[in-house]
Amino acid sequence: QVHVVEFGGGSVQAGGSLRLSCAMVGYTYSRYCMAWFRQVPGLERQELATIDQDERTTYADSVKGRFIVSKDIVKFTLHLEMSGLKPEDTGMYICAADETCAGCSGPACFAYWGQGTQVTVSS
């Protein structure tokens, strides 16, 4: 059984930085896709940054140039370096994973989900 666990998060002032990490446990294949989503009450879950099974990265326009996603392939771990944080970045950050995600975007592309970690950015 695959489990996904997020680490990091917290509260920061606007302009600050945070690092999130996500570990996938119990996955047995060598290739995989992982992504960070943000959930805000009343809004759809938004895909922010993705590394697919071929190590290609994609970012939502709202975080390009501010967030950097990286994957430790051997350790089945995903990181998200967030800088220049804005109050609108506030939300629950949720890690997702699946065997493949090329050509697919959005929550339906991922089978494995973490519980999320809260990020709060104050002005």
Side-chain angles (χ1 to χ4, degrees):
Q1 190 173 2
V2 176
H3 296 279
V4 177
V5 182
E6 299 93 345
F7 304 91
S11 297
V12 65
Q13 288 191 330
S17 301
L18 280 175
R19 174 184 168 96
L20 306 181
S21 296
C22 165
M24 182 168 58
V25 180
Y27 186 81
T28 58
Y29 298 101
S30 60
R31 300 176 74 210
Y32 55 96
C33 173
M34 293 185 81
W36 285 101
F37 285 76
R38 180 169 62 217
Q39 181 73 66
V40 177
L43 299 179
E44 291 185 359
R45 188 167 291 188
Q46 182 188 14
E47 188 169 356
L48 300 178
T50 303
I51 299 184
D52 72 14
Q53 65 279 0
D54 296 317
E55 312 310 316
R56 292 172 296 205
T57 59
T58 56
Y59 294 92
D61 288 342
S62 60
V63 305
K64 280 181 182 176
R66 299 188 299 122
F67 290 12
I68 299 174
V69 64
S70 61
K71 184 201 288 184
D72 185 326
I73 298 173
V74 175
K75 296 182 179 180
F76 297 93
T77 302
L78 187 72
H79 304 288
L80 186 67
E81 299 282 353
M82 304 185 293
S83 61
L85 284 162
K86 305 174 182 180
E88 52 263 43
D89 292 320
T90 295
M92 183 69 73
Y93 282 66
I94 307 169
C95 181
D98 207 316
E99 185 176 357
T100 64
C101 64
C104 183
S105 64
C109 304
F110 298 89
Y112 311 115
W113 292 86
Q115 294 297 310
T117 184
Q118 179 68 32
V119 171
T120 302
V121 184
S122 58
S123 57

